Amino acid sequence: MVKNKGKGGKSRRRGKNDTENDKRELVFKEEGQEYAQVTKMLGNGRVEAQCFDGVKRLALIRGKLRKKVWINQGDIVLLSLRDFQDEKADVIQRYNPDEARQLKSYGELPDTAKINEADNTFGGEEDDDVEFDFDIDEI
């Protein structure tokens, strides 16, 4: 039997994904960019986002973020607006909840922005009690 002496294996080939705890520099919006909150995941790298300027836009997740940064409903994102299509935009940055709270404290996001809360359109958590009117012995 040959003894493996190299540093190999699946974990080395794929690379370590330890970017979760890294502190990165906070990116503020510039000309032609807008903050938004993801309202619906549409699939195929597309999301429906409610911008904080009051417009609902269809946003495409750019290729650099597509498989590396997972975007969920309720996330705060930075959109790059298109000057030729106002109803479409591109997602260029996703903010984690700590960064979104910092943006809110700096006054970049409005006070009405809900951070780390998704709109549950599939019913709320308040109707957990389900009552049935029939007896199981009758069936």
Side-chain angles (χ1 to χ4, degrees):
M1 251 329 173
V2 176
K3 193 171 192 180
N4 290 333
K5 295 179 181 175
K7 293 181 178 159
K10 285 185 183 177
S11 63
R12 297 239 184 247
R13 260 184 276 139
R14 290 185 186 148
K16 300 274 193 282
N17 195 4
D18 292 335
T19 59
E20 192 113 353
N21 295 331
D22 289 346
K23 292 287 183 189
R24 60 182 181 188
E25 188 175 329
L26 197 59
V27 178
F28 294 106
K29 73 174 183 178
E30 297 175 3
E31 182 76 25
Q33 296 177 347
E34 187 63 45
Y35 299 113
Q37 187 163 20
V38 176
T39 57
K40 191 188 291 185
M41 300 299 295
L42 299 174
N44 201 18
R46 298 175 304 152
V47 298
E48 187 177 274
Q50 179 67 43
C51 296
F52 291 122
D53 61 356
V55 181
K56 190 173 277 193
R57 292 186 170 93
L58 174 74
L60 273 74
I61 302 170
R62 63 183 292 219
K64 187 176 180 182
L65 303 179
R66 192 165 278 179
K67 294 279 185 179
K68 295 172 180 62
V69 179
W70 291 102
I71 297 175
N72 297 315
Q73 188 175 353
D75 284 345
I76 304 293
V77 293
L78 181 63
L79 299 182
S80 175
L81 304 178
R82 297 180 177 181
D83 48 359
F84 53 93
Q85 290 174 311
D86 191 46
E87 68 276 357
K88 291 188 180 179
D90 300 297
V91 177
I92 56 174
Q93 175 86 28
R94 174 190 170 267
Y95 295 106
N96 58 33
D98 292 334
E99 291 171 334
R101 278 189 275 279
Q102 283 181 338
L103 285 173
K104 198 171 182 180
S105 67
Y106 290 147
E108 293 284 324
L109 298 180
D111 293 333
T112 58
K114 294 181 181 176
I115 297 169
N116 210 6
E117 292 181 28
D119 287 339
N120 285 335
T121 57
F122 305 111
E125 300 272 334
E126 63 272 357
D127 292 332
D128 286 341
D129 297 330
V130 179
E131 296 182 23
F132 295 101
D133 293 335
F134 61 88
D135 190 20
I136 195 73
D137 296 333
E138 296 173 5
I139 297 177

